[in-house]
Amino acid sequence: QSVEYFHHRHQVAELSEQMRVEAQNNLPLIRESIARLQVQAAYIQSLHQALLAEKPSGDSVDVHGVTPPGGSVLYVSPSRAAWSAAQSAGLAALLPAADAKLYARLDYNTEMEINGDSDLHQALRTLISECARAQYDHANPAVQRITVAHRDDLLFALEQVEGVMHGIEGSLRLVEGGEEAIVAGVHSLDEMYRYQNAALRRANLGPMASFYGGSRQGQQLKVPNEPAATD
């Protein structure tokens, strides 16, 4: 029993270190993903403004596209390998309950972000289809004439993309805060929520914060003093 006890203790310590290393490696990827997502969101907003720049004339309206900012728009979702492996190997059951809840919650937040990626691809496909249907070249800054009905459909599609992007950033911020908490060595959900709340406050999500549950999370995570972010 003593040998088994110390073996399990070693396994728990090893898993905790794996989670810490994975969190530390995830943080630069998360922050780069947020930066790229913000560039994409700014471009979508610029298209929204371009479509509203001129007043309709009858059933048509003159609009223009916006030259894309360039650069990579791809980003990598945070790794979940350490926790997934621990669950598969039955090591998660050896953890203290507080630690297990913390890791499970962070895994759930990461899954939200991954699901958001799928939603974004679908929203972008719809937007591209609407551009083709309206014969609107979104990357061409020259004046183009389209129908008001097509313009309105494009605006609706853009709003869907914007909403999903805000949702993904919110999820990424929650994961960022959770990873910062693990790197800092916290061992409870309440402690992790402090870091997630601080990460959410760094986001500029405006009224779309409620899209991913940000308002509810904000109420849940309020604390008097926020911790400093870790690198």
Side-chain angles (χ1 to χ4, degrees):
Q1 289 179 340
S2 297
V3 171
E4 186 176 8
Y5 167 77
F6 284 109
H7 178 60
H8 287 173
R9 186 174 178 180
H10 172 73
Q11 288 178 306
V12 169
E14 191 175 53
L15 174 57
S16 297
E17 176 61 13
Q18 290 172 352
M19 293 293 294
R20 188 194 66 79
V21 171
E22 185 175 69
Q24 199 164 37
N25 292 336
N26 276 338
L27 281 172
L29 295 176
I30 294 169
R31 290 163 184 164
E32 184 176 358
S33 295
I34 290 172
R36 290 182 179 182
L37 188 65
Q38 288 174 337
V39 170
Q40 295 178 53
Y43 179 67
I44 294 298
Q45 180 60 33
S46 67
L47 289 177
H48 194 283
Q49 293 171 352
L51 289 173
L52 291 173
E54 299 294 335
K55 293 182 178 180
S57 176
D59 62 356
S60 300
V61 60
D62 288 336
V63 298
H64 60 87
V66 180
T67 303
S72 175
V73 297
L74 301 177
Y75 54 89
V76 180
S77 294
S79 172
R80 306 163 66 194
W83 181 241
S84 296
Q87 288 180 304
S88 298
L91 298 178
L94 302 177
L95 288 168
D99 286 348
K101 289 179 180 179
L102 186 154
Y103 295 147
R105 179 66 181 182
L106 179 57
D107 187 65
Y108 171 73
N109 293 146
T110 306
E111 186 177 0
M112 286 175 57
E113 185 275 326
I114 293 173
N115 291 337
D117 288 348
S118 298
D119 293 340
L120 179 58
H121 289 312
Q122 180 59 49
L124 287 172
R125 282 195 292 268
T126 300
L127 175 59
I128 291 171
S129 296
E130 289 296 337
C131 287
R133 191 167 69 91
Q135 297 184 353
Y136 171 62
D137 184 356
H138 68 88
N140 184 0
V143 174
Q144 308 165 51
R145 176 156 292 191
I146 63 176
T147 68
V148 173
H150 281 156
R151 192 275 310 271
D152 292 344
D153 289 340
L154 285 167
L155 288 172
F156 179 79
L158 284 168
E159 287 170 358
Q160 301 307 300
V161 173
E162 285 182 286
V164 176
M165 284 182 170
H166 281 302
I168 293 175
E169 182 177 353
S171 295
L172 281 170
R173 292 291 186 181
L174 288 174
V175 178
E176 179 188 25
E179 302 287 27
E180 289 172 344
I182 289 177
V183 171
V186 307
H187 294 284
S188 74
L189 282 175
D190 286 340
E191 289 178 295
M192 185 180 76
Y193 287 157
R194 294 178 61 227
Y195 283 83
Q196 290 186 318
N197 190 43
L200 285 173
R201 288 178 182 271
R202 294 196 292 270
N204 183 24
L205 300 177
M208 289 305 301
S210 60
F211 180 87
Y212 63 94
S215 296
R216 177 169 51 81
Q217 286 286 353
Q219 294 170 4
Q220 183 181 19
L221 305 183
K222 283 181 180 176
V223 291
N225 298 305
E226 295 175 356
T230 55
D231 294 326

Coordinates of all heavy atoms in Angstrom, one line a residue, residues 11 20 24 45 57 64 69 73 90 122 125 132 143 149 152-153 155 168 170 182 185 199 217-218 221 229:
Q11 N 2.7 10.0 -9.8 CA 1.9 10.2 -11.0 C 1.1 11.5 -11.0 O 1.0 12.2 -12.1 CB 0.9 9.0 -11.2 CG 1.5 7.7 -11.6 CD 0.5 6.5 -11.7 OE1 -0.2 6.3 -10.7 NE2 0.5 5.9 -12.8
R20 N 1.2 21.9 -16.5 CA 1.8 23.3 -16.4 C 2.6 23.6 -17.6 O 2.5 24.7 -18.2 CB 2.7 23.3 -15.1 CG 3.3 24.7 -14.8 CD 4.4 24.7 -13.9 NE 5.6 24.0 -14.4 CZ 6.4 24.6 -15.3 NH1 6.2 25.8 -15.7 NH2 7.4 23.9 -15.7
Q24 N 1.9 26.5 -20.4 CA 3.0 27.5 -20.7 C 3.2 27.5 -22.2 O 3.4 28.6 -22.8 CB 4.3 27.1 -20.0 CG 5.3 28.3 -19.9 CD 6.3 27.9 -18.8 OE1 6.8 26.8 -18.7 NE2 6.7 29.0 -18.1
Q45 N -15.5 44.3 -39.8 CA -16.2 45.6 -39.5 C -16.0 46.6 -40.5 O -16.9 47.4 -40.8 CB -15.6 46.1 -38.1 CG -16.2 47.3 -37.6 CD -17.7 47.2 -37.4 OE1 -18.2 46.2 -37.0 NE2 -18.4 48.3 -37.6
S57 N -30.3 54.3 -53.7 CA -31.0 55.1 -54.8 C -32.0 54.1 -55.4 O -31.6 53.2 -56.2 CB -30.0 55.6 -55.8 OG -30.7 56.2 -56.9
H64 N -18.6 49.7 -51.9 CA -17.2 49.4 -52.4 C -16.7 48.3 -51.4 O -17.2 48.1 -50.3 CB -16.3 50.6 -52.3 CG -16.2 51.2 -51.0 ND1 -15.2 50.8 -50.0 CD2 -16.9 52.3 -50.4 CE1 -15.3 51.6 -48.9 NE2 -16.3 52.4 -49.1
P69 N -6.3 42.9 -45.2 CA -5.1 43.3 -44.6 C -3.8 42.5 -44.9 O -2.7 42.9 -44.7 CB -5.4 43.3 -43.1 CG -6.5 42.2 -43.0 CD -7.3 42.4 -44.3
V73 N -4.3 34.2 -41.7 CA -5.5 34.2 -40.9 C -5.7 32.9 -40.1 O -6.7 32.7 -39.5 CB -6.7 34.5 -41.8 CG1 -6.6 35.8 -42.5 CG2 -6.9 33.4 -42.9
G90 N -6.7 6.9 -16.9 CA -7.3 6.8 -15.6 C -6.6 7.6 -14.5 O -6.9 7.4 -13.3
Q122 N -18.5 27.9 -41.0 CA -19.8 27.9 -41.5 C -20.3 29.3 -41.8 O -20.9 29.6 -42.9 CB -20.8 27.2 -40.6 CG -22.2 27.1 -41.1 CD -22.3 26.4 -42.4 OE1 -21.8 25.3 -42.6 NE2 -23.0 27.0 -43.4
R125 N -18.5 30.6 -44.9 CA -19.0 30.0 -46.1 C -20.3 30.7 -46.5 O -20.5 31.0 -47.7 CB -19.2 28.5 -45.9 CG -17.9 27.7 -46.0 CD -18.2 26.2 -46.1 NE -18.9 25.7 -45.0 CZ -18.2 25.1 -43.9 NH1 -16.9 25.0 -44.0 NH2 -18.9 24.6 -42.9
A132 N -21.1 36.2 -53.6 CA -21.2 35.7 -55.0 C -22.6 35.9 -55.5 O -22.8 36.4 -56.6 CB -20.9 34.2 -55.0
V143 N -16.0 51.3 -56.7 CA -17.4 51.4 -56.5 C -18.2 50.3 -57.2 O -17.8 50.0 -58.4 CB -18.0 52.7 -56.9 CG1 -19.5 52.8 -56.8 CG2 -17.3 53.8 -56.0
A149 N -31.6 44.8 -51.4 CA -31.9 43.5 -50.8 C -30.6 42.7 -50.6 O -30.4 42.1 -49.6 CB -32.9 42.7 -51.7
D152 N -28.6 44.2 -47.8 CA -29.1 43.8 -46.5 C -28.7 42.4 -46.1 O -28.4 42.1 -45.0 CB -30.6 44.0 -46.4 CG -31.0 45.5 -46.5 OD1 -30.1 46.3 -46.3 OD2 -32.2 45.8 -46.8
D153 N -28.8 41.5 -47.1 CA -28.4 40.1 -46.9 C -26.9 40.0 -46.5 O -26.5 39.2 -45.6 CB -28.6 39.2 -48.1 CG -30.1 39.0 -48.3 OD1 -30.9 39.1 -47.4 OD2 -30.5 38.6 -49.5
L155 N -25.1 42.4 -45.1 CA -25.0 42.9 -43.7 C -25.3 41.9 -42.7 O -24.7 41.8 -41.6 CB -25.9 44.2 -43.6 CG -25.4 45.4 -44.3 CD1 -26.5 46.5 -44.2 CD2 -24.1 46.0 -43.7
I168 N -15.5 33.5 -30.2 CA -14.3 32.8 -30.2 C -13.3 33.5 -29.3 O -12.5 32.9 -28.6 CB -13.7 32.6 -31.6 CG1 -14.6 31.6 -32.4 CG2 -12.3 32.0 -31.6 CD1 -14.2 31.4 -33.9
G170 N -13.9 35.5 -26.9 CA -14.3 35.3 -25.5 C -13.8 33.9 -25.0 O -13.3 33.8 -23.9
I182 N -3.0 27.9 -14.3 CA -2.2 26.7 -14.1 C -0.7 27.0 -14.0 O 0.0 26.4 -13.2 CB -2.5 25.7 -15.3 CG1 -3.9 25.2 -15.1 CG2 -1.5 24.6 -15.3 CD1 -4.4 24.3 -16.3
G185 N 0.1 28.0 -10.7 CA 0.1 27.0 -9.7 C -1.2 27.0 -8.8 O -1.1 26.5 -7.7
A199 N -8.6 38.0 -17.7 CA -8.4 37.8 -19.2 C -9.6 38.4 -19.9 O -9.4 39.1 -21.0 CB -8.2 36.4 -19.5
Q217 N -20.4 35.1 -17.1 CA -19.1 34.7 -16.5 C -18.5 35.9 -15.7 O -17.9 35.8 -14.7 CB -18.1 34.4 -17.6 CG -18.3 33.0 -18.2 CD -17.9 31.9 -17.3 OE1 -17.2 32.1 -16.3 NE2 -18.2 30.7 -17.7
G218 N -18.7 37.1 -16.3 CA -18.2 38.3 -15.6 C -18.8 38.4 -14.2 O -18.1 38.8 -13.2
L221 N -17.2 35.8 -12.0 CA -15.7 35.8 -11.7 C -15.3 37.1 -11.0 O -14.1 37.3 -10.8 CB -15.0 35.7 -13.1 CG -15.3 34.5 -13.9 CD1 -14.4 34.5 -15.2 CD2 -15.1 33.2 -13.2
A229 N -1.1 39.1 -15.1 CA -0.9 38.0 -16.0 C 0.5 37.5 -16.0 O 1.4 38.2 -15.8 CB -1.3 38.5 -17.4

